[in-house]
């Protein structure tokens, strides 16, 4: 089956690192993504990783993929109040087209 | 600004009615995706079009249909509307060889009364 699970809430202090975790079930997934959604806005693609990669770093963002455990994480270094948002983990695979399954989203709250 | 535009921004209609949501992808993007976001169901993939052809289908109800036109804009038609169809509807687009990178529009908020 296809399912993406993530914890619903995370609270951190400004300046600390945030780690948002996600597990997925489809081992044939091609891409795994992190999206950010701010209140009243659409989803913004933050970063994505191919399933044959273990890690990807992009400025303050680090994505780690453990394919054996089907576990994906997003680390945000030096978390700022502007990082407060909902973060969605998603997986997709190419079946001729791309069908993307999203998690329920993790609400990150950054305390000043 | 992602470059994806959606109209209208808000739509209020009654049960049983039919509405059309419109999406213009980023310039040059051939793929368009539709998603529904609601409080109880989360974000659900509905359908993907690529250069005018349906490419992938998700949890799209039979009452819903979509199409992509030669100028690559897309429309999502929702008919026989029910209260439970109230949601945010997002469109996303991606380039030909970059299906992993989807750019989302601001969404259309549909309220069915």
């Amino acid at each position: 089956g296809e399912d993406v699970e993530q914890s619903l809430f995370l609270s951190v202090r400004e300046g600390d690192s945030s780690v948002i975790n996600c597990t997925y079930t489809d081992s044939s997934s091609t891409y795994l993504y992190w999206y950010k959604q701010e209140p009243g806005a659409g989803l913004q693609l933050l970063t994505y990783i191919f399933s044959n990669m273990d890690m990807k770093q992009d400025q303050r963002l680090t994505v780690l993929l453990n394919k054996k455990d089907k576990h994906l994480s997003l680390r945000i270094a030096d978390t700022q109040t502007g990082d407060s948002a909902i973060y969605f983990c998603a997986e997709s695979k190419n079946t001729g087209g791309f069908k993307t399954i999203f998690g329920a989203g993790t609400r990150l709250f950054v305390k000043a | 600004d992602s470059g994806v535009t959606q109209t209208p921004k808000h739509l209020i209609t009654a049960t049983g009615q039919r509405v059309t949501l419109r999406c213009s992808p980023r310039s040059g993007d051939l793929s368009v995706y539709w998603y529904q976001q609601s409080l109880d169901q989360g974000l659900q993939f509905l359908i993907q079009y690529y250069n005018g052809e349906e490419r992938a289908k998700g949890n799209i109800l039979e009452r819903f249909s979509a199409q992509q036109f030669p100028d690559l804009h897309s429309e999502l038609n929702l008919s026989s509307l029910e209260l439970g169809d109230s949601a945010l509807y997002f469109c996303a687009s991606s380039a030909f060889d970059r299906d992993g990178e989807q750019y989302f529009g601001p969404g259309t908020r549909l309220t069915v009364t």
Side-chain angles (χ1 to χ4, degrees):
Chain A
E2 302 163 333
D3 199 13
V4 177
E5 292 190 359
Q6 48 184 132
S7 53
L8 294 182
F9 186 80
L10 176 66
S11 178
V12 300
R13 268 197 275 210
E14 191 175 22
D16 288 350
S17 290
S18 308
V19 179
I20 303 171
N21 294 300
C22 166
T23 57
Y24 60 98
T25 56
D26 191 345
S27 57
S28 64
S29 293
T30 309
Y31 297 95
L32 295 129
Y33 319 88
W34 286 103
Y35 285 87
K36 176 184 180 182
Q37 185 179 31
E38 296 184 70
L43 276 71
Q44 175 196 351
L45 176 64
L46 283 179
T47 187
Y48 68 94
I49 190 168
F50 291 100
S51 57
N52 62 359
M53 295 169 65
D54 298 322
M55 185 183 94
K56 182 177 180 181
Q57 188 152 4
D58 184 1
Q59 299 181 335
R60 291 191 299 123
L61 306 179
T62 303
V63 178
L64 293 177
L65 175 60
N66 181 330
K67 202 169 177 184
K68 175 174 165 287
D69 294 339
K70 299 194 190 80
H71 181 266
L72 183 74
S73 68
L74 174 70
R75 178 176 179 269
I76 306 172
D78 187 25
T79 312
Q80 303 297 307
T81 54
D83 295 323
S84 293
I86 302 176
Y87 290 80
F88 290 90
C89 170
E91 62 170 352
S92 72
K93 59 182 178 180
N94 193 337
T95 57
F98 271 84
K99 183 178 170 184
T100 305
I101 308 296
F102 285 81
T106 298
R107 185 177 292 277
L108 174 65
F109 178 68
V110 182
K111 296 178 283 190
Chain B
D1 184 355
S2 67
V4 178
T5 60
Q6 289 186 248
T7 56
K9 195 167 182 179
H10 300 280
L11 197 47
I12 301 174
T13 189
T15 54
Q17 295 298 305
R18 172 189 165 96
V19 297
T20 297
L21 312 184
R22 185 189 166 102
C23 167
S24 291
R26 290 188 319 161
S27 177
D29 284 358
L30 297 178
S31 279
V32 169
Y33 311 77
W34 285 99
Y35 295 87
Q36 179 195 59
Q37 186 178 37
S38 61
L39 281 174
D40 56 343
Q41 301 254 356
L43 193 63
Q44 301 272 325
F45 166 71
L46 296 178
I47 198 163
Q48 178 202 1
Y49 276 82
Y50 174 79
N51 202 21
E53 300 287 326
E54 182 185 306
R55 181 64 73 91
K57 219 166 185 177
N59 302 322
I60 188 165
L61 300 171
E62 283 191 16
R63 299 184 285 110
F64 296 179
S65 65
Q67 54 184 326
Q68 186 180 26
F69 295 86
D71 67 352
L72 301 177
H73 92 270
S74 178
E75 292 180 356
L76 179 67
N77 300 297
L78 315 175
S79 61
S80 303
L81 284 167
E82 301 175 0
L83 295 177
D85 297 327
S86 295
L88 264 171
Y89 290 84
F90 288 107
C91 166
S93 73
S94 68
F96 163 65
D97 57 348
R98 312 285 285 187
D99 278 346
E101 296 178 36
Q102 295 183 25
Y103 293 87
F104 279 71
T108 292
R109 182 172 292 280
L110 173 67
T111 303
V112 182
T113 61

